[in-house]
Amino acid sequence: MRALSRAKPRVNQTAFPIFAFVGALGGMGLKIKDLSEALGLAFDLGPVLARSRLSFAAPLLVDRVYAVDADIDMLVNKPSRTYGTADHLHLAIRLSTEKLHSTARLHIIFPGRQE
């Protein structure tokens, strides 16, 4: 990951920030496809990642085991000029040890199913 992003060599135990995103998605225990299908969202119609935001309460460190907790902050159906309707899923995925380290907030737009 460091080589792909041309990051400088690590000088301490701090992990590269993208691992907050990688750890959130990989550690959630459920693929986005499976989550969206369980919620009745149209994954097969091609969702769009509208926004992703990472915030850090403490640095992520290498060689640590993090707990991963995910919550649906909001799921709302809205009118859409492009799709007719669209489902907006807002997820918050946190990585923590005894304390919170990072939060990945994802806003994913799913085309609404046309009936």
Side-chain angles (χ1 to χ4, degrees):
M1 193 66 71
R2 297 182 75 78
L4 286 172
S5 62
R6 297 185 181 146
K8 295 178 183 175
R10 184 182 315 113
V11 294
N12 57 28
Q13 291 298 101
T14 303
F16 192 71
I18 192 62
F19 284 105
F21 188 80
V22 172
L25 288 180
M28 195 167 59
L30 191 63
K31 294 178 182 177
I32 295 294
K33 178 182 187 220
D34 297 335
L35 173 63
S36 62
E37 289 174 350
L39 294 170
L41 302 173
F43 185 86
D44 57 315
L45 296 178
V48 175
L49 179 60
R51 177 179 294 163
S52 63
R53 288 189 178 175
L54 298 175
S55 60
F56 295 89
L60 287 177
L61 303 174
V62 297
D63 297 324
R64 301 292 193 281
V65 175
Y66 292 93
V68 181
D69 296 296
D71 288 306
I72 297 171
D73 281 342
M74 182 172 43
L75 175 57
V76 63
N77 183 273
K78 296 181 178 182
S80 168
R81 288 187 301 244
T82 304
Y83 305 120
T85 65
D87 295 308
H88 292 250
L89 174 63
H90 295 263
L91 290 176
I93 310 168
R94 292 172 299 286
L95 301 181
S96 58
T97 54
E98 303 82 36
K99 61 183 177 179
L100 176 65
H101 286 264
S102 66
T103 303
R105 295 190 182 281
L106 308 179
H107 175 192
I108 306 170
I109 301 173
F110 296 81
R113 293 195 187 275
Q114 304 302 316
E115 301 186 19

